[in-house]
Amino acid sequence: MLILPLHKPLNRQTLPWITLALILANCWVYFAQQVPAEGRLQLAFDFYLEANLGALEIPAYIAQIAPDQRAEYAEIAQYDEPFRSSFLLPEMQADTKFQRTIAADAIVATSSADYASYHSRRSQFEALWQRGNFTERYSHRTGTFSFLTIFSSTFLHANFEHLFGNMVMLLIVGLLVEGALSKRVYLLMYLCAGIAAGLASELWRYGQPISGLGASGAIAGLMGALPVLWGFRRVRVFYWLGFYFNYVHVPALILLPIWFGKEIFSLLTSNESIGFDAHAGGMISGALSSWLLVKLGKVREDFFAAVPAVELAPGTHPGGGEQQNRGRFSAQEHAQKLQRGLKALGELDFARAHTELSSLAFYEQRLDILVPAYRAARFGPGGAAAVSAARRVLLANTVGADEIHTLHDVWLDTQKAGLDLALTPSEQLRLATLWLDAGFVASAE
């Protein structure tokens, strides 16, 4: 099952600069550091085979692993080279207990005639391995607690497919989260979610020497933040179930239990080598931090201003309780915002007009506010903002007979602009009836 929010268009106004910088950082680490290191790691592996180090180290490694796994590993050890070393060497090098055994000269006794030769070969291999061991060095391994590797592992990826999938998801979710916060707060939230994901994995897999890497824990933090920041505002969601896929508009908050539940279910039932524990930890971090930011008023309301919430009765505030037409603004604030918005619209400063008028339109049913708010959105940010503003105008509940011509003008403009209003059949019927009553037969058809 795949669920992706695809609500805001990617354009110059919505361009998420910090998200793009994070994508570039992840790509730089992979292509400029990890990929070249893989070539150097192959040289170390080739030397390991030529020096025949596996003949001494593999039996010693199998002797110290857990008894319930020993039979399986002993069977692998019976295979010819290079298969057995290609399977076992990465685990042996990452196993801190076995590395301590090597460092303590417990593989070949110092009194043995073979010690000098083994020690020389092992030292040469270790030097080659360290030159090419960039990924393993900076990925986080549970049981070896380190804030450095917990942080650095969020910028590492196992392969190109892993990188590509994470970066696409980061762009999609970042587009809907970054604009709601200041750049600094957004970056801090992302990094903290990555660290929280590593800590969650450390707790869940305590005692298991497993490496973890990837940006998905930090991205899961943004996924946890998105529903909390957007609340009951509707977002357009793409979903994919088996062979069926479609779009639907849903309140954003619904996504949180769906996403989090999917991670917990996969964590408890899946055998895949995917960090569902890290995903869950990152998601909790993002949800909690965004809840705190909402409570502290650190969220940019203008980012959501043109996005409709769940359908409510006219004059009702999304948070509950009856409101006057002025919504959350005092009469003076209302008048000042309207005056500033209309002035900016007259000066063709559509971005400023959109900021002022869209926040008023969120609480209004008056066309003298809704229509200017639509004009500001149409020629300002456009896209989803224009669609939401147009729907507010066309579906207003207090339209008088003398206002239908104004409503029809907006309708014609949306058709000219090619806006997809996603009208339901009942909404289409309502407009068709209005157009017929006013004699706009072509529009009714």
Side-chain angles (χ1 to χ4, degrees), residues 301-379:
E301 290 294 333
D302 60 301
F303 183 71
F304 308 110
V307 182
V310 292
E311 295 298 330
L312 299 168
T316 302
H317 188 277
E322 292 299 317
Q323 300 286 318
Q324 299 298 321
N325 277 345
R326 291 186 299 273
R328 60 178 177 173
F329 305 110
S330 67
Q332 183 178 3
E333 290 172 332
H334 185 278
Q336 290 173 346
K337 288 183 72 68
L338 180 58
Q339 183 180 11
R340 289 195 301 266
L342 294 177
K343 184 174 184 293
L345 193 62
E347 295 171 350
L348 303 184
D349 187 350
F350 298 114
R352 185 158 57 90
H354 173 65
T355 300
E356 298 288 354
L357 295 173
S358 59
S359 57
L360 291 178
F362 188 75
Y363 297 93
E364 294 287 353
Q365 289 289 315
R366 292 167 40 192
L367 289 190
D368 61 334
I369 292 176
L370 295 179
V371 173
Y374 165 70
R375 301 295 180 194
R378 160 91 156 82
F379 297 104

Side-chain angles (χ1 to χ4, degrees), residues 8-148:
K8 277 188 172 287
L10 184 61
N11 54 42
R12 189 170 60 184
Q13 287 79 20
T14 63
L15 203 61
W17 292 106
I18 301 299
T19 298
L20 293 179
L22 289 168
I23 291 173
L24 288 175
N26 278 274
C27 290
W28 179 82
V29 169
Y30 182 75
F31 290 109
Q33 301 298 324
Q34 290 185 259
V35 172
E38 289 176 6
R40 296 192 293 269
L41 205 59
Q42 183 62 44
L43 295 176
F45 178 73
D46 292 341
F47 179 84
Y48 191 85
L49 295 178
E50 293 172 8
N52 199 26
L53 290 170
L56 294 170
E57 294 182 350
I58 289 176
Y61 176 63
I62 293 174
Q64 76 163 40
I65 63 177
D68 59 333
Q69 295 179 307
R70 196 168 297 161
E72 176 188 351
Y73 279 74
E75 181 180 349
I76 294 171
Q78 298 304 313
Y79 286 93
D80 295 332
E81 297 287 20
F83 175 81
R84 67 173 187 171
S85 288
S86 64
F87 184 88
L88 294 173
L89 181 57
E91 292 197 21
M92 291 161 55
Q93 286 297 107
D95 191 317
T96 53
K97 180 181 177 183
F98 185 63
Q99 291 305 304
R100 287 195 295 268
T101 300
I102 293 175
D105 291 326
I107 303 296
V108 177
T110 55
S111 59
S112 171
D114 296 327
Y115 174 76
S117 174
Y118 167 75
H119 188 269
S120 174
R121 285 176 290 158
R122 180 69 205 186
S123 297
Q124 292 179 64
F125 163 74
E126 196 62 39
L128 290 170
W129 181 269
Q130 291 304 319
R131 287 186 61 226
N133 197 33
F134 182 88
T135 300
E136 187 64 33
R137 190 186 317 146
Y138 290 106
S139 60
H140 178 64
R141 193 161 187 83
T142 54
T144 58
F145 184 81
S146 166
F147 267 115
L148 172 61

Side-chain angles (χ1 to χ4, degrees), residues 135-136 138-142 149-150 152-158 162 198 201 205 208-216 273-275 277-278:
T135 300
E136 187 64 33
Y138 290 106
S139 60
H140 178 64
R141 193 161 187 83
T142 54
T149 57
I150 288 177
S152 60
S153 63
T154 63
F155 291 91
L156 300 174
H157 290 85
H162 187 203
S201 185
R205 302 183 185 277
Q208 304 177 40
I210 298 174
S211 291
L213 74 170
S216 54
S273 57
I274 298 175
D277 48 352

Side-chain angles (χ1 to χ4, degrees), residues 119-430:
H119 188 269
S120 174
R121 285 176 290 158
R122 180 69 205 186
S123 297
Q124 292 179 64
F125 163 74
E126 196 62 39
L128 290 170
W129 181 269
Q130 291 304 319
R131 287 186 61 226
N133 197 33
F134 182 88
T135 300
E136 187 64 33
R137 190 186 317 146
Y138 290 106
S139 60
H140 178 64
R141 193 161 187 83
T142 54
T144 58
F145 184 81
S146 166
F147 267 115
L148 172 61
T149 57
I150 288 177
F151 173 78
S152 60
S153 63
T154 63
F155 291 91
L156 300 174
H157 290 85
N159 49 51
F160 176 74
E161 290 77 12
H162 187 203
L163 172 72
F164 181 78
N166 274 349
M167 294 305 100
V168 169
M169 195 65 187
L170 175 55
L171 181 61
I172 291 172
V173 182
L175 181 63
L176 294 176
V177 175
E178 181 177 333
L181 306 169
S182 71
K183 304 298 184 186
R184 185 177 301 176
V185 169
Y186 172 77
L187 178 60
L188 184 62
M189 174 187 284
Y190 177 90
L191 298 177
C192 287
I195 293 173
L199 293 175
S201 185
E202 182 74 29
L203 291 173
W204 182 262
R205 302 183 185 277
Y206 184 78
Q208 304 177 40
I210 298 174
S211 291
L213 74 170
S216 54
I219 297 169
L222 302 183
M223 293 172 66
L226 188 155
V228 178
L229 293 172
W230 283 69
F232 288 102
R233 299 175 181 91
R234 292 186 179 275
V235 293
R236 186 165 60 103
V237 174
F238 169 79
Y239 65 94
W240 178 8
L241 295 170
F243 295 101
Y244 182 77
F245 55 91
N246 204 347
Y247 288 95
V248 64
H249 286 78
V250 298
L253 201 56
I254 289 176
L255 298 176
L256 184 58
I258 295 175
W259 279 338
F260 186 72
K262 178 178 180 292
E263 297 301 331
I264 296 299
F265 177 79
S266 299
L267 176 62
L268 299 177
T269 61
S270 176
N271 293 321
E272 297 179 87
S273 57
I274 298 175
F276 297 113
D277 48 352
H279 297 173
M283 202 170 292
I284 292 173
S285 170
L288 290 178
S289 58
S290 58
W291 174 83
L292 182 60
L293 291 170
V294 171
K295 288 295 183 182
L296 294 176
K298 300 297 184 181
V299 178
R300 290 179 48 203
E301 290 294 333
D302 60 301
F303 183 71
F304 308 110
V307 182
V310 292
E311 295 298 330
L312 299 168
T316 302
H317 188 277
E322 292 299 317
Q323 300 286 318
Q324 299 298 321
N325 277 345
R326 291 186 299 273
R328 60 178 177 173
F329 305 110
S330 67
Q332 183 178 3
E333 290 172 332
H334 185 278
Q336 290 173 346
K337 288 183 72 68
L338 180 58
Q339 183 180 11
R340 289 195 301 266
L342 294 177
K343 184 174 184 293
L345 193 62
E347 295 171 350
L348 303 184
D349 187 350
F350 298 114
R352 185 158 57 90
H354 173 65
T355 300
E356 298 288 354
L357 295 173
S358 59
S359 57
L360 291 178
F362 188 75
Y363 297 93
E364 294 287 353
Q365 289 289 315
R366 292 167 40 192
L367 289 190
D368 61 334
I369 292 176
L370 295 179
V371 173
Y374 165 70
R375 301 295 180 194
R378 160 91 156 82
F379 297 104
V387 168
S388 297
R391 286 178 56 84
R392 288 184 186 283
V393 175
L394 296 173
L395 302 178
N397 293 328
T398 56
V399 178
D402 57 336
E403 295 177 316
I404 295 179
H405 282 75
T406 301
L407 215 65
H408 186 249
D409 288 341
V410 171
W411 164 259
L412 293 178
D413 189 69
T414 64
Q415 303 308 293
K416 177 182 176 182
L419 298 181
D420 179 11
L421 301 180
L423 296 170
T424 65
S426 61
E427 291 168 347
Q428 294 179 49
L429 179 60
R430 179 190 173 200

